[in-house]
Amino acid sequence: EAEVAQSPRYKITEKSQAVAFWCDPISGHATLYWYRQILGQGPELLVQFQDESVVDDSQLPKDRFSAERLKGVDSTLKIQPAELGDSAMYLCASSLATSGGEQYFGPGTRLTVT
Amino acid sequence: EDQVTQSPEALRLQEGESSSLNCSYTVSGLRGLFWYRQDPGKGPEFLFTLYSAGEEKEKERLKATLTKKESFLHITAPKPKDSATYLCAVQAGYSTLTFGKGTMLLVSP
């Protein structure tokens, strides 16, 4: 069964350091999403890609966060510098339809900033 | 602004004790309502999509229903392995998903 892959699964970093997360969507899925989930809350969208283009990054804190999907397949989300408030689960999802619909999530990366 | 409210926040059931989870939503032009299951420390797992009022979908012990203002996730004769957080999300038009905070379900043997 096809799955969304993410790495690393866990990351501990000190504040002011840089951190990066990687995601490989389900093969053939053109749309890729990065979400942040704080404990006890639902996922909140950070950025959405359609192929290699950013469709929505209105909630991405652009002063410290960046995301890219250079070849329209896998994607990287970077935080520099990390802050204590960035501690959360970072989830990647992908969907087949260009207009959203059913999204399939990866296992997530649990980030702890100390 | 799209809003999704899930209730209760947490629910504890005995094995075999049926119940329902609620998802109330406010959205302009519902395109779809989605239910996900999330186990601790893992990503959400897709369960159902509902598109229009009156629609129902079933999977094992779960049945999801939709009205114009809310959706219910009915759990019939739950088992301990049904313990998880259940998330509801809505999509309006071509926008992305707006999630609720989830209902944490614990089923005791």
Side-chain angles (χ1 to χ4, degrees):
Chain A
E1 182 176 316
E3 295 181 341
V4 176
Q6 288 188 248
S7 66
R9 292 294 313 278
Y10 305 93
K11 181 71 178 178
I12 300 174
T13 191
E14 294 182 349
K15 63 179 181 179
S16 79
Q17 296 298 304
V19 63
F21 315 128
W22 176 80
C23 172
D24 192 13
I26 294 172
S27 178
H29 281 196
T31 309
L32 184 148
Y33 313 81
W34 283 102
Y35 287 88
R36 178 169 58 187
Q37 185 178 26
I38 298 170
L39 197 62
Q41 305 289 317
E44 293 182 334
L45 181 72
L46 291 173
V47 60
Q48 176 184 343
F49 289 92
Q50 178 64 39
D51 298 312
E52 67 277 6
S53 300
V54 173
V55 174
D56 183 354
D57 64 355
S58 58
Q59 301 303 311
L60 187 70
K62 299 181 187 63
D63 57 334
R64 297 186 300 107
F65 286 64
S66 63
E68 60 182 16
R69 193 183 183 198
L70 293 177
K71 297 183 179 179
V73 180
D74 60 338
S75 176
T76 301
L77 178 70
K78 297 179 181 178
I79 308 174
Q80 182 173 18
E83 296 181 352
L84 295 177
D86 296 331
S87 294
M89 175 77 89
Y90 290 82
L91 295 162
C92 179
S94 67
S95 66
L96 184 61
T98 58
S99 57
E102 299 163 9
Q103 298 180 19
Y104 296 88
F105 285 81
T109 297
R110 169 68 66 186
L111 173 66
T112 301
V113 182
T114 61
Chain B
E1 182 179 331
D2 302 339
Q3 290 191 332
V4 178
T5 303
Q6 292 189 245
S7 61
E9 291 185 5
L11 180 62
R12 185 164 188 160
L13 300 174
Q14 290 294 119
E15 184 172 3
E17 180 186 1
S18 301
S19 188
S20 297
L21 313 182
N22 177 263
C23 171
S24 297
Y25 63 90
T26 303
V27 64
S28 298
L30 181 71
R31 183 176 177 87
L33 185 141
F34 306 84
W35 282 99
Y36 286 84
R37 169 193 171 124
Q38 186 172 27
D39 292 304
K42 296 186 178 181
E45 174 189 348
F46 171 75
L47 292 174
F48 305 109
T49 307
L50 301 168
Y51 295 102
S52 57
E55 189 175 1
E56 299 183 353
K57 289 197 175 171
E58 289 188 64
K59 180 179 180 179
E60 297 182 352
R61 294 172 296 284
L62 301 177
K63 183 169 80 172
T65 62
L66 181 65
T67 73
K68 290 186 177 181
K69 294 183 178 180
E70 57 191 351
S71 176
F72 291 94
L73 185 65
H74 306 277
I75 304 176
T76 302
K79 299 182 178 182
K81 64 181 179 179
D82 295 321
S83 297
T85 293
Y86 291 85
L87 295 166
C88 171
V90 297
Q91 183 185 19
Y94 291 95
S95 67
T96 190
L97 301 186
T98 298
F99 282 85
K101 294 182 178 181
T103 293
M104 184 183 302
L105 175 66
L106 178 62
V107 182
S108 302

